[in-house]
Amino acid sequence: MTTTPLWKAIPVPRGCGERQAGGVYAECGVGPYGQPLERFLLDPPVPMPPELDVVNKPQIWPRVLPSGEQACDAERQPLSDLLIHIGAEHYPYVPDYLEETRRYGVSRRLNPNLDLSLLTTQSRMLLAHPKAIPLNWREMRVPKECRKNLPRHDQRSHAQRGPDPNQHTDRLGPSNLCLFKLWELLPRELAQAEIDLGDELPLCLRELGSTRYEYCPTGEQVEGWQCAFVLSVPITGFALIQDAEGQVNERAKRALNRAYEERGEQALPFYETPC
Amino acid sequence: MRQRPQQALLNATAEVAAVEDQQHLLLQRLQITALPSHETHLLPLDAINIAANASLLRSARGLVKSIERVGVLQPPSVVCLPKIAGEETRYEVIAGRRRLLAARICMLPVLKCEVYTHCTPQLASFLALIENAQRSGAWMKEVEDLRRLIDEQVGMTIDDLAACGFERNALSERLKIAQLPLPILNQIVAGKLSLETARKIAHLRESQQDTLADIARTETLTLDLVKQTLRQQVQSGLTPLQVTFTDLAAAWNPASDSPPSAAPLPASEETTLAHTLQSLQALTTSLAYQNLERTTRLLTETLIQKLTLAIREQEGEPLLVEASLVSL
């Protein structure tokens, strides 16, 4: 039997609804000694290889080093990662998903037929969204704040270099695309409430699932989007959702127990829960 | 050794007899005594019974533009129904319902059809299958013809072809295949590669297509080889991503990267934050709160979540979600 995860995602109604009985969910939980969400954000987002199709199909991919070799753990066991596509039908924009994750952790439903034994404590969950990179980002204003404090990503950083960040010639180039621009690109009409701040941009309030968050739209228009990975988190465990009789997906449970027998402490823990 | 003419004739007779046996068996299975004769006629569309559902009608509309421009190039097959005294002859469709529906939408008065004298349900299905089988290789012909249009520099765009009624997505796909290197295209046109394989090759980078083209000069490409090449391409796109989070782990240094607000607060300020949070949470359970306007309530809920996050980051304690928040 595996151990129970130390850290679990918080089981609240999410943008994609509530967890389904019989489902198997990969989690990155919330807990003590954790790190802020910014630690795990990919800024700038990493474009998804166009040949990769993970829409509605989470996939496990081997981790390959730049040399072309398969990455392995200390016991020479190959490492794999879980690739997941965040659908825009439940999370229309990247901030919708990231703000929920910030509050409640990650919980993503998996096909129980995936070989879950390939995932270990060193595996990562890589999450992509179809609206991660605005195609015309080079024509846009630099965002007000980059919460990862990356150099030359936000107006504060550029202000340290010169008087007008929007006319700074060296803002061009892929390394200057900032993930946090996506909050400023949320449409104003997406807000459920708006607070007028006088001369400043309005403060918009958005509600999605159990998440409430604020944003200040600049009104800039996006001419198209590119799908890219925005988040890379460790997997803290799996949640097996019980049905009315308290039963879980037995096949998945057996696979996870088998993984523990094969991998020992490297295997991912799981727990059974009604929700 | 060269076969003598008489021996060749004897062999041919045996082969004919074998074919005749096969045909007889086929006719038995189709519950007919002989293949019905058929002739090409110009029939009024009103005289043809076409059973259609909503999905078929939608599908037929896709043919309207091309029929308006170039007509129906392949005659549908119909069977003559038993004639009722005093009424005009009517026909029923064996194969080509989409074409007939589309022709009707185009308000064509008549259409060239292959008219069978009689038919059974089994024969109708069999003929439809044969027609589909004859068309199953149509995609190869489309690719070949598209390539010819490109090589002849006809200069049509996808918009031009879509205006003739071609389905844009399918056309884009065929176009990608038609532009593959010639050694690969030759194998496609020769029927050595399936549509699935051709699609996968079209997704490869140009350099990998060139590699496959070199292989195709001397051997037939296989689906496994193409899949392997595609997988390598995807993996090479993923590797920078997988390296990125390895770098994240190495570069994370809370002491240097944390924003100033993450520094521990004095105990009194922590208490203030927690107290403020409790007050707001208590507010949400009050009757007065329910009467506040929506903007104020949403602002309060947002503030509760922000304070909760701030306290969590300060104290490093797990977040406990209040029941009232969950039920909102």
Side-chain angles (χ1 to χ4, degrees):
Chain A
M1 283 286 282
T2 68
T3 55
T4 303
L6 282 175
W7 302 329
K8 301 174 186 177
I10 298 172
V12 295
R14 294 184 179 238
C16 51
E18 304 205 27
R19 301 210 279 199
Q20 301 294 310
V24 178
Y25 291 78
E27 291 189 342
C28 177
V30 174
Y33 317 114
Q35 301 290 344
L37 178 73
E38 280 68 26
R39 157 76 175 78
F40 305 102
L41 293 176
L42 297 171
D43 188 9
V46 178
M48 172 169 308
E51 309 81 10
L52 185 61
D53 178 18
V54 287
V55 177
N56 295 325
K57 284 184 293 189
Q59 292 182 28
I60 298 175
W61 274 77
R63 192 183 301 175
V64 174
L65 300 172
S67 60
E69 291 175 32
Q70 165 100 55
C72 295
D73 60 15
E75 292 164 15
R76 310 297 300 163
Q77 295 293 317
L79 290 173
S80 297
D81 299 307
L82 180 62
L83 275 54
I84 291 179
H85 181 270
I86 306 162
E89 66 270 25
H90 296 299
Y91 301 96
Y93 292 88
V94 166
D96 292 334
Y97 185 74
L98 295 184
E99 291 293 345
E100 178 181 280
T101 299
R102 185 195 300 281
R103 287 152 177 75
Y104 309 116
V106 174
S107 172
R108 299 298 301 186
R109 186 167 189 180
L110 299 182
N111 180 345
N113 295 324
L114 280 177
D115 188 358
L116 302 178
S117 66
L118 293 174
L119 299 174
T120 68
T121 54
Q122 294 190 53
S123 299
R124 308 289 287 203
M125 225 185 315
L126 307 173
L127 297 115
H129 192 280
K131 291 182 181 174
I133 299 177
L135 295 180
N136 56 325
W137 64 268
R138 285 183 179 80
E139 285 85 50
M140 293 177 176
R141 290 190 290 276
V142 176
K144 196 173 174 186
E145 182 191 12
C146 171
R147 294 190 217 167
K148 284 177 74 79
N149 298 313
L150 294 173
R152 291 162 57 187
H153 265 225
D154 57 10
Q155 293 180 13
R156 180 180 54 185
S157 173
H158 279 277
Q160 291 169 354
R161 298 172 62 87
D164 186 352
N166 292 318
Q167 290 178 356
H168 224 289
T169 54
D170 65 354
R171 74 177 290 279
L172 299 178
S175 62
N176 294 104
L177 167 61
C178 182
L179 175 70
F180 294 92
K181 183 65 184 175
L182 297 178
W183 273 256
E184 295 184 356
L185 295 176
L186 288 170
R188 192 166 169 174
E189 54 271 18
L190 217 62
Q192 277 79 21
E194 210 173 284
I195 298 170
D196 184 10
L197 299 178
D199 293 337
E200 293 183 37
L201 293 171
L203 180 67
C204 292
L205 303 176
R206 178 144 167 78
E207 176 182 346
L208 193 77
S210 301
T211 305
R212 314 283 184 267
Y213 71 94
E214 80 288 358
Y215 66 97
C216 291
T218 59
E220 289 164 288
Q221 295 300 309
V222 177
E223 291 173 7
W225 295 96
Q226 184 180 359
C227 185
F229 290 96
V230 294
L231 186 63
S232 166
V233 291
I235 306 174
T236 53
F238 297 103
L240 305 184
I241 312 303
Q242 294 167 331
D243 60 20
E245 284 83 43
Q247 301 299 310
V248 298
N249 188 309
E250 284 298 323
R251 183 176 172 172
K253 187 175 174 178
R254 281 196 301 273
L256 291 170
N257 279 324
R258 205 164 46 240
Y260 183 72
E261 288 163 14
E262 290 169 10
R263 297 258 194 165
E265 294 300 318
Q266 294 292 319
L268 285 166
F270 70 91
Y271 67 105
E272 299 178 23
T273 176
C275 61
Chain B
M1 185 173 76
R2 196 176 165 194
Q3 205 172 31
R4 287 186 293 172
Q6 191 179 3
Q7 189 176 12
L9 185 60
L10 282 172
N11 286 343
T13 304
E15 284 166 5
V16 166
V19 168
E20 283 180 354
D21 285 342
Q22 283 177 355
Q23 179 140 326
H24 181 66
L25 190 58
L26 177 64
L27 293 176
Q28 270 188 327
R29 286 181 177 149
L30 296 175
Q31 298 188 5
I32 50 177
T33 53
L35 283 173
S37 61
H38 57 95
E39 291 177 346
T40 308
H41 287 289
L42 212 57
L43 297 181
L45 280 173
D46 291 343
I48 305 175
N49 296 344
I50 313 169
N53 53 33
S55 134
L56 193 68
L57 205 54
R58 267 196 305 274
S59 173
R61 288 201 180 97
L63 294 179
V64 166
K65 279 184 187 168
S66 65
I67 289 176
E68 280 172 346
R69 277 174 172 72
V70 299
V72 177
L73 299 181
Q74 181 159 357
S77 302
V78 301
V79 62
C80 192
L81 292 173
K83 194 167 165 49
I84 298 173
E87 288 189 12
E88 297 286 334
T89 307
R90 293 201 62 80
Y91 306 86
E92 198 165 272
V93 184
I94 298 173
R97 281 186 296 164
R98 279 176 69 225
R99 278 165 275 163
L100 283 162
L101 281 172
R104 203 172 263 179
I105 294 171
C106 294
M107 296 202 288
L108 299 182
V110 295
L111 194 66
K112 196 191 297 182
C113 297
E114 284 300 316
V115 183
Y116 288 78
T117 52
H118 61 276
C119 195
T120 62
Q122 296 86 343
L123 178 62
S125 299
F126 186 63
L127 289 173
L129 272 175
I130 289 177
E131 186 176 287
N132 284 336
Q134 287 175 353
R135 285 209 304 243
S136 69
W139 72 272
M140 290 183 270
K141 189 71 175 57
E142 285 172 22
V143 164
E144 188 181 21
D145 291 334
L146 273 172
R147 182 59 177 252
R148 189 172 299 124
L149 287 177
I150 295 168
D151 289 341
E152 296 292 332
Q153 298 180 331
V154 167
M156 291 181 85
T157 64
I158 288 189
D159 289 337
D160 294 331
L161 290 169
C164 290
F166 291 98
E167 203 274 318
R168 194 177 286 268
N169 288 341
L171 197 57
S172 295
E173 180 192 80
R174 297 285 191 268
L175 204 53
K176 279 185 194 162
I177 297 173
Q179 290 171 318
L180 290 173
L182 209 50
I184 300 175
L185 198 62
N186 289 340
Q187 287 199 9
I188 290 172
V189 170
K192 292 181 182 176
L193 298 183
S194 68
L195 179 56
E196 183 194 356
T197 307
R199 276 186 186 135
K200 287 197 184 325
I201 297 176
H203 276 108
L204 294 173
R205 286 196 205 105
E206 207 173 297
S207 56
Q208 285 164 315
Q209 287 177 1
D210 290 340
T211 304
L212 286 177
D214 286 337
I215 299 172
R217 287 180 214 281
T218 52
E219 58 185 270
T220 303
L221 298 176
T222 62
L223 183 58
D224 282 343
L225 174 61
V226 175
K227 276 185 180 174
Q228 186 186 341
T229 310
L230 185 60
R231 196 172 177 84
Q232 282 169 358
Q233 180 170 306
V234 171
Q235 189 61 66
S236 68
L238 281 180
T239 298
L241 171 67
Q242 290 165 327
V243 167
T244 299
F245 61 71
T246 308
D247 290 342
L248 277 178
W252 177 251
N253 183 353
S256 62
D257 291 357
S258 296
S261 59
L265 290 174
S268 59
E269 290 192 25
E270 279 186 13
T271 307
T272 304
L273 268 183
H275 189 254
T276 306
L277 177 60
Q278 281 172 7
S279 300
L280 286 172
Q281 286 170 337
L283 171 65
T284 62
T285 61
S286 70
L287 194 59
Y289 179 77
Q290 303 307 321
N291 295 328
L292 292 174
E293 64 166 9
R294 177 153 174 70
T295 301
T296 309
R297 284 188 282 129
L298 192 50
L299 186 58
T300 308
E301 291 154 26
T302 307
L303 193 52
I304 286 172
Q305 291 193 4
K306 295 290 282 189
L307 284 174
T308 308
L309 286 171
I311 293 170
R312 181 204 289 177
E313 288 178 19
Q314 292 299 327
E315 295 177 349
E317 289 294 332
L319 172 69
L320 294 176
V321 179
E322 294 297 316
S324 60
L325 195 60
V326 172
S327 64
L328 286 169

